[in-house]
Structure formats: C-alpha cells, structure tokens
Amino acid sequence: MGLFDFFKKKETAPEAQEALDKGLEKTKDGFFNKITKAVAGKSTVDDEVLDNLEEVLVTSDVGVSTTLKIIKRIEERVAKDKYLNTAELNFILRDEIQLLLSENNSNDFRQFEYGDHKPYVIMVVGVNGVGKTTTIGKLAHKLKESGLKVVLGAADTFRAAAVDQIKLWGERVGVRVVAQAMGSDPASVAFDTLQSAVANGEDVVIIDTAGRLHNKIGLMNELGKIKQVMQKVVPGAPHEILLVLDASTGQNAFEQCKQFTEATDVNALAITKLDGTAKGGVVIGISDQFKIPVKYIGVGEKIGDLQLFDKKDFVNSLFK
C-alpha cells in the first residue's frame, strides 16, 4: 500500500480542509487586499491592471520569473477575449496558478508509492530554524497513526539541542530514536539507524541531518557520506531526500532551495509555517522554479497540522 493511501483517509476529513483554510488566512488576506487595490476603478483588464497584478504577485513572494510566466499567460488570454473584465481576473488567475502547479508537479504525491521498499528511507535536510525537527516529529506521528513502524535517526550531531529535540519527539509520538553522543559521525548514526530498522522489521526510517549552509562543499561531502553508508545497509537509500523550507522567510527560502538542490538530490519539499505568514506565494514560486514536488505543508502548530500538499485544495483555499 502507498504511503499516500495511509494519509488519504485522514487528509480528506473536513477538519483537514478547515486547518488548511485557517493556515492560509494571512496569505489569502494579503493577496486579495492587494488584488482588490490593483483593479480598483477598472472595468477591463488593461496594461495598468496587469502591471499592478505583476507587482502583487512579486510582493506576495511568488518570485519574479514565475510571476512573469503567469502574467504572460494572462496577457494571452486577455488578447483572445478583448472584453475580459476585472471581475473575471480572480478566476483566470486561479486557473493559471493551478495549471502551473500541475505542470511543475507531474510527479505529484498522488502517485507516490511506498512500494516494495522496506524500510523506506527519508533523509531530511534544511537549515536550522525552519521547522525541520518538528516536521520529522509530525511526519512520524502521521505514519505511526497509519499503522507503520517508524524509527528516527538523530544524525544532526553538531547541536545537542537537535538530538534532544528528536528524542523528545520520539517520546511524544511513541517511536524509537537512534542517537549517539554529540559530535559523533553523522554517517555512523545513519548506519546504525538503518541496520537496526532492518533487524526490527521497521517500515520507515527518517534521518535528521545538520542544517549548516556556511560551507556548501562541506555539506555536500557530509550528505554524500551519509548516503554512501546507508546504501551499504539498504541499497537505493535514501528513497526520499526531503528539504524543509520555512514559508515565512520568503525569498530566502528560494536561496536555501538553490543551495540544497546543488548540494544533494532533493526530490521532495516540505514548506512549513504557512499559518504564521502572508508569504504563502513561495509555494507557487518554488514549485515552478525548481520542479520539485511539494509533498507536505505545515499549516499550524498542532501535531496533526502537517498535511499532504494537494495543489487543487491549496489553490481553492487561497481563492476562497
């Protein structure tokens, strides 16, 4: 059974939709206030409206190149229908954003399968402070709740706080944590975690890693070494390299994504703290620019507030 199938029962619940709507409130309010001002007093979508809309998208952290792509598409639609009015602009904008997300997430989470991988290995990367440990804890909770046996590996051995936080999450959600002393070799922790997961017949392994970007070569070498030792135990591991980004950092999240995708083969994104920011546009821009599926979004502080990213639900919630 696919990991998505385990989530599916939970995520379609009305409370999940409610949490998503609430989590996107700040982004939605900021976005629509700006759009309303952009089209005020206008009856048709003209060059001035499009210029104003461009500014709205850029200041909502959608990113310049993605914004220009959206504006170009809207211009093409306006050119076909000369009598397009501003009341229709929201519908067109929603449609174009949805299309863009569909194109850029062709390998969407709906097709993600747990398959024959046992254990399924997830290596989590991201700078300190983005909600990496919390995301790991919440993901472990979701998977355990769904009946999977999960083990966490505390391979961020450079910060005592990181190891302690993983241990606390392990206790909180009732999953096993493999840890060594602070300053231990991160690859050694990963090796031990996988070895014990195989011995215990566990389904999913989630490995935390150090969130340092001051030396990209060092980071690249470290992550490469962790991957190498994991493959000695589980060929093909890690199956997922999950980059955690904090939506509230706006354009800085783009830079972090650039740095980490250059350092390792990121194939999944988790975007956190959407509830605390009006910068939810980063989800659209990052998805478009890096062509990496957004798999999870954090929409609140509760343990159940990590959700599978569904582009249709996300855009509908944004335009409600």
Side-chain angles (χ1 to χ4, degrees):
M1 183 184 277
L3 278 177
F4 177 75
D5 297 320
F6 285 113
F7 276 110
K8 199 173 183 182
K9 301 166 198 168
K10 313 281 179 190
E11 294 302 337
T12 49
E15 58 267 25
Q17 185 61 53
E18 198 180 309
L20 178 64
D21 292 346
K22 196 175 175 207
L24 292 178
E25 257 172 22
K26 287 187 180 177
T27 294
K28 187 167 58 177
D29 290 350
F31 198 51
F32 281 108
N33 284 343
K34 287 175 185 173
I35 288 178
T36 304
K37 285 176 188 169
V39 300
K42 291 283 188 177
S43 57
T44 57
V45 178
D46 58 15
D47 287 346
E48 190 183 347
V49 167
L50 289 170
D51 285 346
N52 290 341
L53 181 60
E54 185 178 316
E55 191 181 333
V56 168
L57 291 169
V58 170
T59 56
S60 298
D61 286 279
V62 171
V64 175
S65 66
T66 303
T67 292
L68 293 176
K69 202 179 286 186
I70 293 169
I71 295 296
K72 188 183 175 196
R73 291 179 178 205
I74 292 173
E75 277 176 339
E76 286 167 3
R77 286 174 74 154
V78 171
K80 283 179 194 168
D81 186 350
K82 303 289 182 191
Y83 303 102
L84 203 64
N85 62 50
T86 54
E88 293 172 281
L89 189 59
N90 278 353
F91 297 104
I92 295 165
L93 188 57
R94 173 165 65 180
D95 194 31
E96 290 301 340
I97 289 172
Q98 237 166 30
L99 282 168
L100 200 66
L101 286 170
S102 297
E103 289 161 19
N104 296 321
N105 285 284
S106 52
N107 178 28
D108 201 13
F109 203 64
R110 288 185 181 279
Q111 280 78 49
F112 173 77
E113 286 297 318
Y114 173 59
D116 298 325
H117 299 300
K118 185 168 177 176
Y120 185 85
V121 182
I122 302 169
M123 182 166 82
V124 185
V125 299
V127 299
N128 300 328
V130 294
K132 188 158 53 89
T133 313
T134 304
T135 299
I136 290 169
K138 288 177 177 179
L139 180 55
H141 167 72
K142 289 270 188 186
L143 296 171
K144 181 174 183 276
E145 201 180 39
S146 304
L148 290 169
K149 288 171 73 181
V150 184
V151 59
L152 308 180
D156 182 357
T157 56
F158 293 92
R159 290 190 310 131
V163 177
D164 291 342
Q165 282 171 339
I166 286 281
K167 285 180 178 175
L168 280 171
W169 270 106
E171 286 171 24
R172 185 177 176 189
V173 305
V175 300
R176 203 165 62 82
V177 176
V178 174
Q180 293 179 12
M182 187 186 161
S184 301
D185 180 9
S188 169
V189 177
F191 184 85
D192 285 356
T193 309
L194 264 67
Q195 215 169 35
S196 66
V198 170
N200 290 317
E202 278 148 333
D203 300 297
V204 184
V205 178
I206 307 176
I207 302 287
D208 186 21
T209 62
R212 299 166 306 145
L213 262 185
H214 63 273
N215 179 349
K216 197 165 66 186
I217 299 299
L219 176 75
M220 204 179 289
N221 292 341
E222 186 179 293
L223 296 176
K225 187 180 172 188
I226 293 171
K227 283 165 68 176
Q228 210 172 15
V229 300
M230 287 199 288
Q231 285 166 6
K232 289 177 182 174
V233 187
V234 178
H239 307 104
E240 185 174 308
I241 299 179
L242 179 66
L243 171 61
V244 181
L245 298 166
D246 175 355
S248 69
T249 61
Q251 290 304 298
N252 197 26
F254 283 81
E255 183 56 31
Q256 288 171 26
C257 197
K258 181 175 179 287
Q259 297 284 331
F260 274 100
T261 50
E262 286 172 3
T264 191
D265 302 317
V266 175
N267 60 3
L269 299 174
I271 299 185
T272 66
K273 308 184 188 180
L274 281 165
D275 56 308
T277 182
K279 297 181 178 182
V282 297
V283 175
I284 301 158
I286 283 175
S287 166
D288 174 49
Q289 285 189 37
F290 294 95
K291 309 292 187 276
I292 299 169
V294 176
K295 286 198 172 180
Y296 311 101
I297 52 171
V299 292
E301 292 180 8
K302 295 201 291 288
I303 198 165
D305 284 341
L306 180 74
Q307 294 192 1
L308 281 176
F309 179 69
D310 181 301
K311 52 187 169 274
K312 191 177 176 185
D313 289 349
F314 178 84
V315 177
N316 285 342
S317 185
L318 200 58
F319 281 83
K320 260 184 185 169

